[in-house]
Amino acid sequence: MTNKELVSLAADLDALTQAPAARKGPPCSVGSVLTSIDEETTEVLRRILDTRTVSSIAIAEVLSQHGQAVTSYTVARHRRRGEANGCRCPR
């Protein structure tokens, strides 16, 4: 490859970071809950999600008791957002 081709390759690769991420599949149900509840409850839920001593199962059970269809797997995945195996919600 010539120097010009290498520069072009580098520029094209760098441009990938500027492209919006492709969204596939349904939105995260935890993220949907966060956008559908009042601000005070949102802050409490975010704090609980960041509290590692509270299990994903317990969080899912409380949300389900209040009419939110959320599984413990979804809560665990949401907690890993920003990681390769986490959900697409912003960190």
Side-chain angles (χ1 to χ4, degrees), residues 5 18 31 43 45 48 66 72 77:
E5 290 172 330
Q18 305 303 317
E43 290 305 314
L45 179 54
I48 296 303
H66 289 270
S72 61
R77 188 182 65 228

Side-chain angles (χ1 to χ4, degrees), residues 51-62:
T51 304
R52 295 298 171 181
T53 57
V54 178
S55 73
S56 297
I57 293 170
I59 295 169
E61 286 176 354
V62 170

